[in-house]
Amino acid sequence: MAGELSETITLAQAETDLTHEGEGGDAATEADHGAATEQGAATDHGTEAAGHEDAALHEGTEAGGHAAPAVFPPFNPATFGSQILWLALTFGVLYLLMSRFALPRIGEILEVRRDRVEGDLAEADRLRQKTDQAIEAYEQDLADARAKAHGIAESTRDEIRKDLDGQRAKVEADLSKKMAAAEARIQETKTSAMSHVDEIASDTATSLVSQLLGTVPAKSVNSAVSAVIKETQNGN
Amino acid sequence: MADNANPIEPIHQFEISNFFTFGTIGGDGTEGSGVEIAFTNSALFMVLTVLVIAGFLILSTRGRGLVPGRMQLLAEMCYEFIANMVRTSAGTEGMRFFPFVFSLFMFILIANLFGMFPYFFTVTSHLIVAVMLALMVFITVVVYGFMRNGFGFFKLFVPSGIPWYVMWLVVPIEFISFLSRPLSHSLRLFGNILAGHIVLKVFGGMVVALLAAGAWAPLAILPFGMAVALTGLEFLVAALQAFVFAVLTCVYLNDAIHPGH
């Protein structure tokens, strides 16, 4: 009975949807001609058609109260208004929150981090360049020092050599002077020795001749000796 | 009717229920006319989605750590992922739309992931939500395209380097494909999420039905395994569709910025 009743109501409502609300009464009148049980149903329907609010309450959703109950909910235009309104509100709020607060903040975080990383890298690069410069300067200094040391050694060596050469020259000059003096003395001695040779030769010849021939004038001996010496000197 | 519907019926999960109704705008006062405004379960999950996204991104970056923590790293990854996507697809100039694309991506992603919880409502499984998101992109593209390029935006429909005699064929095709973008853009998201949830529910329902069927109960392991596998797949789809939506948004924005092909 109850099932039959609701079925009748549904049918009558379908009819109401097709026609207009005012004509619902006609449907009820038509139903009045039916059997006694159906008449009861029609009366129920009559009250329902008159007070549509009851039907809405009864069916839980107002949308179901008017549109055919079988309408597929995602296509039910009765709900579109609310959905559009709430979508606009919520999406608008979301867009505002995102564009004003959330995204700038995340963007800032990322930028700060990127800047920091870049800054650190630049600092590291700067420090490395500084290190390179220091190493270069050190090597330059080292090379300079080495060159300087070499120069000093060279000049010292030159000085020593010059000194040595000077001294050697002095010593050699001294030596040669001494040698010359010695040679002169030898020459002198020789010359003086040679000048005595005449005398010795005359004496020797005088004594020889006196031994052999007796006494001879010294004058003739001397001239003979000097003649021989002269001859010898000319001969060689 | 919704309340006493079959609990394993797969469509029930998409039902929108009002928590409280504010009233009706317009209409002639009769039931169903005008636009009804209510705080619904869908609205609740939209609000939750926004709260989760904003809460996560703002709280996780509160420390502004030079060395990020886990949560901050996750937030930064989301940021850089979308930023790179926008930069590569739409160029540096496209970065002005970065907050827009980011909001779209996060909104769809979190809404999809919310849908993976049992008994939670999936915002993106409703056509109108996907359509509105796609229209938002479409309108942005058209408005910005004309603002930036003036009538030069029409170059979008005229591919360069093709002979003049095929123009009459190519230009209408380009134009129609441009107009159909919001359709494919939205239906791809909506269809994927809707179908995934229905299939998941169908297999879940089969488990329940088989368990209740006495001797057949052991067979319930089959749809159960299927449901487990599909859950994994649906997580992939949830992330993938958010990604696809964002990538296509970038591609369309690129057209607005550089209309010449």
Side-chain angles (χ1 to χ4, degrees), chain A residues 10 13 21 52-53 56 58-63 65-66 69 71-76 78-88 90-91 93-99 101-110 112-114 116, chain B residues 1-3 11 14-16 18 21-22 31 35-40 42-43 46-47 50 53-54 57-58 61-62 64-66 68 72 75-76 79-80 98-100 102-104 107 125-129 132-133 136 190 194 198:
Chain A
T10 318
Q13 273 175 352
E21 215 177 317
H52 234 287
E53 296 296 331
H58 185 239
E59 290 179 15
T61 62
E62 287 176 84
H66 191 72
V71 73
F72 187 49
F75 293 144
N76 186 351
T79 65
F80 285 1
S82 303
Q83 292 198 66
I84 292 173
L85 172 76
W86 287 104
L87 179 67
T90 52
F91 192 79
V93 169
L94 177 69
Y95 181 79
L96 279 180
L97 286 175
M98 292 300 105
S99 58
F101 302 107
L103 295 181
R105 191 191 281 183
I106 301 177
E108 186 195 310
I109 292 171
L110 293 175
V112 164
R113 183 177 308 147
R114 193 169 49 229
R116 175 73 183 268
Chain B
M1 237 170 268
D3 294 325
I11 304 302
F14 302 114
E15 208 78 62
I16 285 193
N18 295 356
T21 309
F22 296 111
E31 189 60 40
V35 181
E36 180 192 65
I37 298 301
F39 189 76
T40 61
S42 166
M46 288 182 197
V47 172
V50 171
I53 297 168
L57 287 178
I58 291 173
T61 56
R62 196 178 34 185
R64 294 166 192 257
L66 192 66
Q72 191 186 324
E76 286 173 12
Y79 179 99
E80 298 213 300
F98 170 57
F100 178 55
F102 188 83
S103 303
L104 275 175
F107 187 84
S125 70
H126 271 250
L127 179 63
I128 189 70
V129 173
M132 290 320 282
L133 291 174
M136 205 149 59
F190 161 69
L194 180 84
I198 290 178

Side-chain angles (χ1 to χ4, degrees), chain A residues 30-60:
Chain A
E30 271 173 34
D32 272 335
H33 296 299
T37 47
E38 276 180 42
Q39 204 167 26
T43 321
D44 267 3
H45 164 68
T47 45
E48 196 120 14
H52 234 287
E53 296 296 331
D54 289 341
L57 282 172
H58 185 239
E59 290 179 15

Side-chain angles (χ1 to χ4, degrees), chain B residues 31-89:
Chain B
E31 189 60 40
S33 64
V35 181
E36 180 192 65
I37 298 301
F39 189 76
T40 61
N41 52 353
S42 166
L44 172 70
F45 278 97
M46 288 182 197
V47 172
L48 284 179
T49 300
V50 171
L51 284 181
V52 163
I53 297 168
F56 163 62
L57 287 178
I58 291 173
L59 290 182
S60 66
T61 56
R62 196 178 34 185
R64 294 166 192 257
L66 192 66
V67 178
R70 280 181 210 179
M71 286 296 123
Q72 191 186 324
L73 189 66
L74 199 59
E76 286 173 12
M77 278 166 67
C78 292
Y79 179 99
E80 298 213 300
F81 178 60
I82 302 298
N84 286 338
M85 182 200 289
V86 176
R87 207 174 290 123
T88 49
S89 330

Side-chain angles (χ1 to χ4, degrees), chain B residues 11 131 167 186 251:
Chain B
I11 304 302
V131 166
M167 279 293 183
S186 59
V251 171

Side-chain angles (χ1 to χ4, degrees), chain B residues 2-25:
Chain B
D3 294 325
N4 49 21
N6 185 354
I8 63 168
E9 190 259 325
I11 304 302
H12 175 62
Q13 57 179 324
F14 302 114
E15 208 78 62
I16 285 193
S17 53
N18 295 356
F19 292 138
F20 43 87
T21 309
F22 296 111
T24 306
I25 298 169

